[in-house]
Amino acid sequence: MKKEQNKNKKIIILVVILLLLALTSGIVATTYARYVSRATGTGDAKVATWAVQVNETNIVQNSTFALDSSFVTWSDSEYIADGYIAPSRTGTFKIKLDTTGSKVAVKYTIQIDTSSLDSYDQIQITKVNNQPLSGDSYSGVISLDDVDTPIEIPVEISWTNSESNNTSDTSIGSTVDTLSIPVTVTAE
C-alpha cells in the first residue's frame, strides 16, 4: 500500500507542477502581451514622368509623327517654285523634340533612311543639327536640366547643281513626283 501511496503522491506532485507551470506560462504570456505594439505602413515612391513629343505628336502613345513637305523651309530661289526641290536648292526640315514635364534625361537617336536617294547621287541629306551627317543616324542627350526646354534639330537636304548631272536632273524632274525619306526618332 505504501507503494501505491507513493505512486499517488508522485502523480499529485506531477499534476500540481503541471498546473503551476501552465499558470505561470499564462501569467508570463499575458504580461508580455500587454506590452506588444504593432504598426503597418506603406512605402511610396514617386514614378518619374516620361514625356516625349516629336513635332507635337506624343510618341510615348503614338508610333508615327508628321514630317511632310510643309515642315521644310527651302532656300530662296527666283527660279524654283516655293515648296519644291530642284538643282541648286537646299531645304531644311526641323525635328522638334519636346520633353517638357519629363523627370528623367532623354537620349535620342534620329535614324534617316536615305536609301530612297541611292539612285540620285546629286540629292543628299547633308547636315543634321548643323553638322555633316556621317552614316545614317544622329544621337544626342537632353539633360535633366534641359528637359523642360523644347529643342529643334535641323536636317538639311540638298540637290547639287552640276552640268554633269543635267541628264539625270531632267529624268528626276520629269518622272519623280515626291521623294520620301523615312525618319525614325527613338527616345530612351
Side-chain angles (χ1 to χ4, degrees):
M1 180 130 179
K2 233 179 185 196
K3 273 186 177 184
E4 202 171 302
Q5 281 182 347
N6 278 342
K7 189 176 178 183
N8 284 341
K9 278 185 185 181
K10 285 182 183 180
I11 290 176
I12 291 173
I13 291 174
L14 183 61
V15 168
V16 169
I17 289 174
L18 287 175
L19 284 173
L20 287 174
L21 184 61
L23 183 64
T24 304
S25 295
I27 291 172
V28 169
T30 58
T31 301
Y32 285 121
R34 290 183 189 158
Y35 297 105
V36 172
S37 299
R38 182 184 312 234
T40 302
T42 301
D44 292 333
K46 289 183 179 181
V47 177
T49 304
W50 177 247
V52 182
Q53 290 189 13
V54 175
N55 291 5
E56 299 178 9
T57 298
N58 182 340
I59 67 168
V60 174
Q61 298 170 348
N62 298 304
S63 59
T64 59
F65 63 93
L67 188 63
D68 56 29
S69 59
S70 67
F71 284 88
V72 181
T73 303
W74 297 102
S75 59
D76 290 334
S77 174
E78 59 186 83
Y79 304 107
I80 305 168
D82 197 31
Y84 295 91
I85 189 169
S88 75
R89 189 161 232 188
T90 299
T92 302
F93 58 89
K94 293 184 179 177
I95 298 173
K96 182 179 178 184
L97 287 174
D98 186 352
T99 55
T100 301
S102 198
K103 300 298 182 204
V104 293
V106 177
K107 177 184 176 193
Y108 63 89
T109 301
I110 300 170
Q111 185 82 26
I112 303 172
D113 181 357
T114 58
S115 62
S116 63
L117 303 176
D118 287 349
S119 299
Y120 317 115
D121 291 337
Q122 63 270 49
I123 304 172
Q124 297 180 356
I125 300 293
T126 52
K127 294 180 183 177
V128 176
N129 208 19
N130 302 314
Q131 300 173 17
L133 179 64
S134 64
D136 59 358
S137 66
Y138 174 83
S139 295
V141 174
I142 301 172
S143 71
L144 185 57
D145 291 337
D146 295 329
V147 294
D148 287 330
T149 305
I151 63 171
E152 289 185 346
I153 301 161
V155 178
E156 184 179 276
I157 183 170
S158 181
W159 187 330
T160 303
N161 188 13
S162 171
E163 293 297 319
S164 62
N165 291 332
N166 282 347
T167 303
S168 176
D169 291 346
T170 302
S171 174
I172 295 167
S174 62
T175 61
V176 178
D177 183 46
T178 303
L179 291 171
S180 294
I181 304 166
V183 176
T184 302
V185 177
T186 304
E188 53 186 319

